């Protein structure tokens, strides 16, 4: 951003080579718009919030507070907080907390068998017998089965 601020008035193209092309492209666009709107960050937040919650309740709350001021556009601070969360390894408790929130999207529609499976996979996480990946695979299947497009657009299943 420092470099961008120095050259933004020049008529040049800037090319970036990044690993996560789509994620980084969105970040660059949102960070370089002249007058960003908070609704754009809120939309981005909807994609990242369960990834953040899975890693840090404190960062999750910080981002929620950051986005309350509708007159500000704190894009740099927003992405720094997200990146700080992504750098953290989820604990079993924080991963289970996020998974429980995601489960909330389908728990009322789920069959008794699916509820039992969620409980079994959740208990395995708390007893450290299993990894969160198995639970996330199951949750993704449930989001697909019950057409929870909001969650399917989330990055929760990508990390």
């Amino acid at each position: 951003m420092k470099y961008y601020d120095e050259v933004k008035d020049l008529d040049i193209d800037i090319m970036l080579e990044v690993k996560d092309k789509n994620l980084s492209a969105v970040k660059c666009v949102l960070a370089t718009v002249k007058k960003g709107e908070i609704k754009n960050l809120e939309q981005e937040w909807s994609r990242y919030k369960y990834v953040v919650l899975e890693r840090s309740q404190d960062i999750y709350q910080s981002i929620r507070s950051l986005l309350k001021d509708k007159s500000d556009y704190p894009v740099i601070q927003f992405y720094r907080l997200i990146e700080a969360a992504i750098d953290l390894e989820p604990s079993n408790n924080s991963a289970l907390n996020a998974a429980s929130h995601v489960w909330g999207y389908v728990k009322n529609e789920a069959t008794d068998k699916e509820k039992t499976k969620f409980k079994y996979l959740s208990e395995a996480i708390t007893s450290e017998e299993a990894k969160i990946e198995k639970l996330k695979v199951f949750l993704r299947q449930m989001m697909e089965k019950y057409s929870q497009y909001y969650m399917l657009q989330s990055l929760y299943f990508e990390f």
Side-chain angles (χ1 to χ4, degrees), residues 17-105:
E17 184 169 328
V18 293
K19 292 179 184 176
D20 60 351
K21 292 180 184 347
N22 292 337
L23 297 178
S24 293
V26 171
K27 286 180 193 178
C28 289
V29 168
L30 293 180
T32 57
V33 293
K34 294 201 185 287
K35 183 76 171 165
E37 294 185 25
I38 194 73
K39 70 178 181 174
N40 295 330
L41 294 185
E42 291 168 340
Q43 186 175 1
E44 270 294 89
W45 177 233
S46 71
R47 294 173 13 138
Y48 280 100
K49 70 181 177 180
Y50 295 107
V51 175
V52 173
L53 183 62
E54 181 180 42
R55 289 160 169 74
S56 172
Q57 179 83 28
D58 290 340
I59 295 175
Y60 178 89
Q61 292 300 336
S62 294
I63 294 173
R64 287 188 67 210
S65 295
L66 187 69
L67 296 178
K68 284 183 181 177
D69 183 357
K70 305 299 182 200
S71 65
D72 197 11
Y73 187 68
V75 65
I76 302 301
Q77 196 175 359
F78 172 77
Y79 279 117
R80 283 191 177 143
L81 287 167
I82 286 175
E83 289 165 5
I86 288 172
D87 286 343
L88 299 173
E89 191 67 35
S91 70
N92 285 347
N93 287 339
S94 63
L96 189 55
N97 179 39
S100 296
H101 278 80
V102 172
W103 175 247
Y105 284 88

